[in-house]
Amino acid sequence: MIRRLTAEDDQQVFSFLQQDPSFNLFIIGDIESFGYDADFQDVWGQFDDAGSLKAVLLRYYDSYIPYAPGDFDADGFARLIRETAQSSSIQLSGKADIARQFEERLPLGEKRTLYFCECRTDEYARQEMGAFAVKKAELADVDRILDLRRRIVEFETRPSSRDMLVKGMETNSARTYYIEQDGRMVAAASTSAENSLSAMIVGVCTDQEHRGKGYASTIVAKLVCDLLAEGKMPCLFYDNPDAGRIYHRLGFRDIGLWAMYR
């Protein structure tokens, strides 16, 4: 049976998602931040005959994330997605072996597969903490963050980027650390989907003329140390082998693959 979940299901949902907290950080974060009644978010659950959860599906605006530790009703979830999607090209992401079960069931966008890793210790990050002053961005710094990202070819800034940065800071579900030189922000890294268990590190970037100085490594190391001190597991995606080597040096370890269809 599949049904929409409510606040009355929260304890069971949290226990279920906690089996795999890193891979579920987006679902956990969105539920903790916005609950079960927001008009832009829905959460459905599949239950077995004994009333135990078998799978969960999150809709956040027009993006969907399914999760199941075993077999689940992919046809039922696909039907729900078709009924609620506002676009003909559906945005879906999730653990690769779960997400790919929708490839023949839904009109999905272009696929991108990323390495998913987590960091359980700050032992190596502390060794990377350099002499650079790392600052935490405030709301007044949002436009400076966007200006830095726009200067970097690899980054795509969307019309919603500013609102997402502001909302993340206001709800304490995201933060940005940065380094500046002569009053100009030259490197930064952010978190997203921060929740009580974990956080995703995103937006790691350095101005072209300031690369190779260790700025980004220092910022990520600072994030790792602060997040772990708060009891949150740092996680991140990467698909660039050079970036992967840097993250591994900081103590991150690959735990699987994440698929995104956009």
Side-chain angles (χ1 to χ4, degrees):
M1 177 186 70
I2 297 175
R3 65 169 173 83
R4 181 176 275 104
L5 300 175
T6 71
E8 295 182 358
D9 300 301
D10 191 61
Q11 185 174 351
Q12 185 178 9
V13 172
F14 191 79
S15 296
F16 176 75
L17 297 173
Q18 202 172 9
Q19 299 175 86
D20 206 349
S22 293
F23 273 109
N24 286 322
L25 86 170
F26 293 113
I27 301 179
I28 294 171
D30 286 341
I31 292 175
E32 288 186 347
S33 295
F34 308 114
Y36 298 87
D37 298 321
D39 57 3
F40 53 82
Q41 177 166 289
D42 290 304
V43 191
W44 295 277
Q46 177 189 348
F47 294 82
D48 63 19
D49 293 340
S52 297
L53 262 178
K54 291 190 64 178
V56 166
L57 174 67
L58 170 79
R59 177 188 72 86
Y60 179 77
Y61 289 98
D62 263 347
S63 297
Y64 296 83
I65 303 177
Y67 171 73
D71 294 337
F72 68 102
D73 185 2
D75 288 326
F77 277 0
R79 185 168 56 251
L80 275 172
I81 293 171
R82 286 193 298 270
E83 291 172 353
T84 57
Q86 301 296 311
S87 172
S88 58
S89 180
I90 294 168
Q91 299 183 43
L92 183 142
S93 61
K95 205 170 182 179
D97 59 338
I98 299 170
R100 68 167 170 256
Q101 297 188 47
F102 294 89
E103 290 179 356
E104 296 182 357
R105 291 179 165 94
L106 294 170
L108 299 175
E110 183 179 352
K111 181 179 181 179
R112 183 183 181 195
T113 303
L114 305 166
Y115 291 98
F116 193 111
C117 53
E118 65 181 16
C119 186
R120 294 178 172 269
T121 175
D122 64 3
E123 175 185 356
Y124 305 102
R126 290 191 177 279
Q127 298 173 17
E128 292 288 334
M129 295 291 287
F132 311 117
V134 178
K135 299 181 179 181
K136 184 178 181 180
E138 306 294 339
L139 282 171
D141 297 306
V142 165
D143 289 324
R144 299 176 69 205
I145 298 168
L146 292 173
D147 286 341
L148 170 61
R149 292 180 179 178
R150 291 189 188 105
R151 296 197 300 269
I152 298 172
V153 176
E154 299 91 336
F155 267 80
E156 175 188 358
T157 55
R158 301 178 180 179
S160 60
S161 296
R162 191 181 194 283
D163 289 342
M164 292 176 67
L165 279 170
V166 170
K167 181 183 285 188
M169 290 184 186
E170 289 178 340
T171 60
N172 293 317
S173 61
R175 71 184 83 178
T176 297
Y177 289 176
Y178 68 94
I179 290 173
E180 62 182 1
Q181 291 293 335
D182 300 323
R184 187 183 191 190
M185 189 179 295
V186 297
S190 304
T191 63
S192 70
E194 284 199 35
N195 59 65
S196 57
L197 299 175
S198 53
M200 178 63 69
I201 296 177
V202 298
V204 181
C205 57
T206 307
D207 254 337
Q208 185 68 42
E209 61 268 31
H210 291 281
R211 294 182 180 179
K213 300 178 180 179
Y215 289 167
S217 294
T218 298
I219 296 171
V220 173
K222 170 70 171 169
L223 276 172
V224 166
C225 291
D226 286 0
L227 289 169
L228 286 172
E230 297 168 17
K232 299 179 180 182
M233 182 88 72
C235 303
L236 54 79
F237 301 131
Y238 75 89
D239 60 359
N240 181 322
D242 291 334
R245 283 190 285 273
I246 293 172
Y247 298 138
H248 293 158
R249 191 177 72 232
L250 292 171
F252 285 90
R253 297 293 178 262
D254 297 342
I255 60 172
L257 296 172
W258 185 264
M260 302 172 66
Y261 302 83
R262 294 287 187 268

